[in-house]
Every structure is written in C-alpha cells, then in structure tokens.
Amino acid sequence: MRTIPGALAEAALRWPDGSALIDGDVRLTWSELAERVHLVARFFAAQGVRPGDRVAVQAPNTWHWVLAGLGALCTGAELVPVSTRFTGAEALDVLLRSRARALVVTEPFLGVDRLADLRAAGLAACRDLTLILRTPSPTPRESGNLSGRVGDFLSPERSNGTGWGEFAWSEVDWTAAPDQPAVEVRPEQVADVLFTSGTTGRSKGAMSSHGQSLGVAAAWAERAELTDADRYLVVNPFFHSFGYKAGILACVLTGATIVPMAVFDVAMAMALVERERITVLPGAPTLYRSILDAPARADHDLSSLRLAVTGAAVVPVALVEEMRRELSFDCVLTAYGLTEAVVATMCRPGDDAATVARSCGRAAAGFEVRVDAPDGSDTGEVLLRGPNVMLGYLDDPAATAEAVDADGWLHTGDVGRLDEHGYLSITDRLKDMYIRSGFNVYPAEVEQALARLPGVAESAVIGVPHQRLGEVGAAFVVPRPGAEVTAEQVLAHCRERLAGYKVPSRVELRAELPRNAAGKVLKTVLREQAAQWEELS
C-alpha cells in the first residue's frame, strides 16, 4: 500500500509537465504542485506540526485547499476537513474534539467570517491550537496569483495563549524544517478524520489510514476510467469525502487535472467546461438538471464532457437518458458510499440508463455487500465489510462498536436490496421509512414516481403524524423553471402510479429544498417544518 505523500511524489515523476491544477490564472504542473506542497509541509513542520498532530481546513474549493491539505498530509499530520456550512459552534466542536494543532480557514466568504464566528463561539478554549492560517476569499471571478514565495499563498496568525498576533513569513526559520517531512509516513497511519454531517445527531469523526483513503480513490478512478487526459471539474466540496478522496486523491493517482469550483454557478460552470475542455463532472442530480434547463446552454460548447457520476438523491431514469442525449456524456454512473466507507458500490461503463438510475452499482474497493432482512424479505439494512471500512470513530469506541459489529460489518443505516447480479438499490434511510396503516412506505419510491411528472425538478417525501392512520406522506415538490405544477396534478399523478397507501396526503410546492454540503436533502429540516402543521386527519 502507498501513502498520500508517496502518491504525490509518484505523480510528479510520472507526469512532471502534466497539468495538475487549474484555478483561474493558477496553473500548476504535477512537479510544480509537488514542490509547493512540500514547501507548505516544511512551513507546518517549522511551526511545530509533527506526525500525528491534526491540521483542520475550513475553506471552499480553491487551489489553497489542495496545497494546505496535501501539505498537512506530507508532514505526517492527520487532515481534518471542516464543513464551510458548519456554524461557529459546530466548527468549534470539531476543533476541540480533534485537538487540532493548526487551522487553515478562509477569509470572509459568502457573507460569513468563519474565524470571527469561531472566536465568538469560544475559540480560546482550543488549547492545542497554536497556528491559524487564513486563505484569501475566492470571488466569483477570482484569478489566482502564484508570484513570489509561499507567503502569497497564506497570511498566517499565531496563538500565544493570550491572543492572536500576526507575524511575517520572512520570520520562519526554514532551517528548522526538514527537506522531506513525509519520510516517516506509513500506509497504516491515520491520514484523515472526516466528521459526519451531524444531520441525525452529533457529528462523529471517521478515521481512515493513508492506504484506505488511496484505496477508495483508486477504486473510484478505475470504475470512472480516469486518466491523465481528463480534466475534472470538482464541484463536490473538498471537505466532503467525495470531493477530497474521489476528487483530489483520484486525480493524484491518475494524473487527471484538478479544476476546483468554490461555489457552483451554472453559467460559470458551462463557461469553465467550454474554456478548460472539462471531461469529468460529478455532482448531485440537481446540478445536471440546472445545466439542462439553463437558457444559455446552447451558447456553450459542452462536447468535451464524457463522464458524469451522480447519487445522493433519487436519480430519475429520464434524467440519465437526457444527460446522455443532451449533454454529450458518453458515460453516466451512479455510486454509493458514506463517510465511513467512501466508495462502496459503483455502476460500470456500459450499464444502461435504467440500471444506472435504479441502482448504485456493484461492490467496489474490495467491499462485500449484503442486506440484513430479518423478516425474510429482499429489503433490509445495507451492511458493508472490507479493507476500506473506517478504522473507527475518533475517541468514541461505543459508537464504533455500534456501527461496526464483531464480524467487521459496517451497519450503514440505509435500506436497500441486491439483485441477482449483485447490483445494490438504496430504497431509503431506515429513519426515513414511515408506516401508514401497517404498510411500510419508502419515500424514495414515491420520489421516483414524482420525477416522472412533467414540470417537476425534484421532490422530497416524509412521513407525518396522522390521528387515524399513524403516519401519512407529505411531498415537498420543486417545479422546474417556468413550469406550472399544482398539488392536484401531483396527487393525480401519484394515484395513477402508486398503491393508495403510498400516495401523499399533503403536497407543498417549494422554490427549493434544504440541503447539506453534499447535496443531500435535509429531511430533518422538513420534519421540523412539518411539526408546525396541524396534525393531518
């Protein structure tokens, strides 16, 4: 097994002049990227970051994140990506629990000063934190600048225990920093601690080794047929397992070009695809829907696109067909994973549209997949076992034991079924299923039916209390731009296609659905909103 620093060094040797990173005017070859990453690593080492320490990064997708994240890993430190969606209190909780030694945080971005929020939440309580580095805030049309030394990359602040004081990069004692800080990194060493979204309770830090993180990245890259000829527009946040491991690390392993996008904007995305000849564009189904519906789509040459990988929501068959027909994708794949097991299953090139939409592929990355259905049915909780299941939750053996049983099976909390060919279909989350009049209703099935209604962009279905029936369905529906959709049309459509107990009892039309950073609909938020309704009867 390899390490992440070793994989970066190998990339610099295999593709020294190959395009590694494009972000505005910042264009780095693999040899240049490796050189700058090692300079950042030397800086961390000079400031006292040692193997086993933790470096947190809370920043959007820019070239700064790539250098900071890989630089931390090249010191032998453990990388702790922090969601930019977290409040100050949530981010502080991650810093405290991870005992982070250093924090890389962006300057005010999208109207939020995250460092100010952290200080207001009680950052002074982070006694282990001795270094804060601030990256410039990206603007919608920011051009990077790599002139000068690494001082142009980050402007640092340092803690002296009583307050924060700025210091100059020129004061760094570079002689105290080893030339090759990564020599002690081992494949079995912890590489990263990724905290779950916390949408179902307090977030937990899933730990993975260098070998495991590279293992899932390699599996994704193999199924995606990623090569050094690809240019990969990374919209999925780097702080999320997909953007980091199936994004940055997959490119490091294959020589594909990393093209980060800090905030998805459909017009900017189409311009980037055309200008940079983007070939790979993963994202949630809504990303592709927004491109398909964009009035200016015909004005852009999107013919370079070859691969789409989607998931995180119901994927309509019609959408897959339209993506292949209208957006020139040769290959559209779906995949399944979670923070604790990043790439568990994935479709394969050549799978038809129905297979891609209705399943999330076959086992990948050395995983075994089975469905635990105590009632003898073909539907039950999805269990995973393999070399790339997380090492465990940080400082939480009880939660680890609850998630991973004595036989090594990870209990995902997702409901699914396996077909005779080993393809997995995720039916729902265990917590999302509701029971109406004694019948189990899986919202994903209702959402799949709603995706076939003309004019519907997306939907989310939840169970809400009912005096007589126990629970009934409530559908939150987002119409496509310019379309007129009524609640009556939604209900009539469902009655034609679903058993009576599956038909929602209430329809709410919305302009958008609440989402987390990974693009998943926050049904907890919808349930909180529905709790304010009068009970349906």
Side-chain angles (χ1 to χ4, degrees):
M1 290 194 300
R2 291 179 288 179
T3 65
I4 295 170
L8 179 62
E10 185 178 330
L13 290 174
R14 291 183 65 187
W15 309 286
D17 300 320
S19 177
L21 180 65
I22 296 175
D23 187 7
D25 292 340
V26 174
R27 292 174 179 264
L28 297 176
T29 65
W30 284 104
S31 60
E32 291 170 338
L33 177 63
E35 177 186 357
R36 283 162 175 79
V37 165
H38 284 120
L39 188 58
V40 174
R42 291 183 63 203
F43 171 76
F44 279 133
Q47 299 307 307
V49 175
R50 296 291 178 259
D53 285 343
R54 299 192 180 106
V55 175
V57 180
Q58 188 183 30
N61 288 17
T62 66
W63 59 279
H64 312 91
W65 203 110
V66 178
L67 266 66
L70 294 178
L73 290 163
C74 283
T75 67
E78 299 170 12
L79 178 61
V80 183
V82 183
S83 172
T84 56
R85 304 291 184 90
F86 277 177
T87 64
E90 289 171 319
L92 178 64
D93 181 58
V94 169
L95 295 179
L96 287 169
R97 291 163 61 195
S98 66
R99 300 183 298 281
R101 176 70 63 189
L103 167 66
V104 179
V105 60
T106 192
E107 292 175 348
F109 172 56
L110 295 180
V112 179
D113 186 335
R114 288 163 182 82
L115 183 55
D117 285 353
L118 277 166
R119 286 172 169 159
L123 187 61
C126 295
R127 301 300 181 189
D128 296 293
L129 190 65
T130 60
L131 179 68
I132 288 183
L133 307 173
R134 300 206 74 175
T135 70
S137 174
T139 60
R141 302 190 181 277
E142 178 195 49
S143 294
N145 184 349
L146 272 177
S147 62
R149 294 181 3 124
V150 74
D152 293 321
F153 153 53
L154 297 170
S155 58
E157 294 183 2
R158 191 175 188 182
S159 168
N160 58 16
T162 58
W164 301 99
E166 293 189 2
F167 69 100
W169 284 88
S170 58
E171 297 174 8
V172 175
D173 180 8
W174 292 102
T175 61
D179 290 333
Q180 297 293 334
V183 292
E184 298 300 325
V185 179
R186 303 178 306 280
E188 67 276 10
Q189 182 176 323
V190 173
D192 42 70
V193 184
L194 273 69
F195 281 77
T196 58
S197 63
T199 55
T200 58
R202 191 186 190 198
S203 61
K204 298 183 286 291
M207 301 181 293
S208 296
S209 70
H210 282 258
Q212 290 177 314
S213 291
L214 288 177
V216 294
W220 190 92
E222 180 182 7
R223 290 282 176 97
E225 299 180 343
L226 204 64
T227 74
D228 61 325
D230 281 309
R231 291 195 166 193
Y232 184 163
L233 183 58
V234 189
V235 176
N236 295 291
F238 288 154
F239 60 73
H240 185 264
S241 58
F242 194 104
Y244 159 47
K245 296 184 182 181
I248 296 173
L249 296 188
C251 290
V252 169
L253 290 173
T254 61
T257 305
I258 306 166
V259 186
M261 192 169 195
V263 179
F264 179 74
D265 174 88
V266 64
M268 289 178 59
M270 292 190 296
L272 265 175
V273 170
E274 181 175 21
R275 183 173 70 247
E276 303 298 346
R277 307 308 295 158
I278 298 297
T279 60
V280 179
L281 178 56
T286 51
L287 180 149
Y288 306 109
R289 183 75 269 159
S290 66
I291 295 176
L292 286 164
D293 291 339
R297 175 164 61 89
D299 299 333
H300 295 278
D301 179 4
L302 308 181
S303 61
S304 60
L305 293 171
R306 75 162 187 87
L307 173 69
V309 181
T310 191
V314 173
V315 183
V317 177
L319 176 62
V320 175
E321 295 170 342
E322 194 174 358
M323 289 166 62
R324 288 175 170 172
R325 183 177 64 251
E326 301 291 336
L327 296 181
S328 304
F329 284 113
D330 296 326
C331 186
V332 179
L333 305 179
T334 43
Y336 167 69
L338 57 164
T339 306
E340 295 86 347
V342 180
V343 179
T345 69
M346 196 168 176
C347 284
R348 302 180 178 208
D351 286 340
D352 60 36
T355 299
V356 170
R358 293 171 181 161
S359 85
C360 42
R362 296 166 58 183
F367 278 106
E368 299 175 70
V369 183
R370 72 180 178 90
V371 169
D372 183 22
D375 60 0
S377 70
D378 63 351
T379 301
E381 184 179 12
V382 177
L383 306 186
L384 306 172
R385 182 169 66 180
N388 296 315
V389 170
M390 65 168 182
L391 299 173
Y393 292 122
L394 177 67
D395 298 330
D396 199 339
T400 301
E402 183 178 352
V404 184
D405 66 27
D407 294 322
W409 289 99
L410 172 66
H411 293 246
T412 67
D414 290 314
V415 178
R417 65 171 66 93
L418 286 169
D419 70 13
E420 64 274 19
H421 303 296
Y423 279 75
L424 175 69
S425 297
I426 298 298
T427 308
D428 236 309
R429 289 288 295 171
L430 281 176
K431 64 180 179 59
D432 287 343
M433 184 198 77
Y434 65 91
I435 301 174
R436 172 172 172 155
S437 297
F439 293 95
N440 291 352
V441 181
Y442 295 99
E445 182 182 3
V446 184
E447 292 160 5
Q448 186 70 257
L450 288 171
R452 288 290 188 180
L453 176 60
V456 170
E458 59 180 332
S459 66
V461 176
I462 62 171
V464 296
H466 188 277
Q467 289 180 349
R468 181 170 52 88
L469 303 175
E471 289 178 294
V472 295
F476 297 82
V477 176
V478 178
R480 292 174 63 175
E484 292 187 6
V485 178
T486 67
E488 291 73 21
Q489 289 174 328
V490 170
L491 293 173
H493 178 82
C494 289
R495 291 188 189 104
E496 291 177 1
R497 290 161 176 79
L498 298 169
Y501 67 90
K502 299 178 184 177
V503 175
S505 294
R506 177 163 177 163
V507 175
E508 291 272 321
L509 299 176
R510 295 288 180 91
E512 61 183 6
L513 298 174
R515 297 181 178 278
N516 68 10
K520 294 183 180 180
V521 174
L522 292 170
K523 291 192 174 181
T524 50
V525 174
L526 296 178
R527 291 190 187 94
E528 290 170 359
Q529 295 170 356
Q532 308 303 314
W533 301 343
E534 291 185 9
E535 188 174 85
L536 298 179
S537 59

